[in-house]
Amino acid sequence: QAQLVESGGGSVRPGGSLRLSCAASGNMFDIFGIWNMAWYRQTPGTQREVAASISSGGTINYADSVKGRFTISRDIRKKMLFLQMDNLKPEDTAVYYCVAKRPSESDIWGQGTQVIVSS
């Protein structure tokens, strides 16, 4: 069974940093590198939005709101996805989800990790 488990969330002051991690497990992730991966985020009462994504081929995209502050990366051998978040702002407060996508498969979501940015 495929599973994504996020970690690294927490509470920080504005201007601080956090690094989120996502560990993939299960036989569907035997070849992790074929998956398109993304970090979504959601605040109460809003739709989930893509904060950052990395395709199977390594193409990276960021939401305009996080460009220059967030960095997405992956370790294919370890089946891990990361999101380095620097210069955090209160509006970055959200639950962050790790998501795996492939055209021939249903999306796979992690359980989410809470990020709170507050003074």
Side-chain angles (χ1 to χ4, degrees), residues 5 25 39 42 47 55 61 70-71 75 77 81 86 90 119:
V5 179
S25 62
W39 287 99
Q42 185 175 25
Q47 288 189 331
S55 73
N61 286 288
F70 289 13
T71 304
D75 186 325
R77 185 176 63 84
L81 181 72
D86 299 316
S119 55

Side-chain angles (χ1 to χ4, degrees), residues 59-85:
T59 299
I60 290 174
N61 286 288
Y62 297 100
D64 287 343
S65 58
V66 308
K67 281 180 182 176
R69 301 186 298 117
F70 289 13
T71 304
I72 189 172
S73 62
R74 62 182 177 176
D75 186 325
I76 292 175
R77 185 176 63 84
K78 294 183 179 179
K79 303 180 184 180
M80 297 285 295
L81 181 72
F82 305 99
L83 186 67
Q84 177 66 41
M85 306 186 294

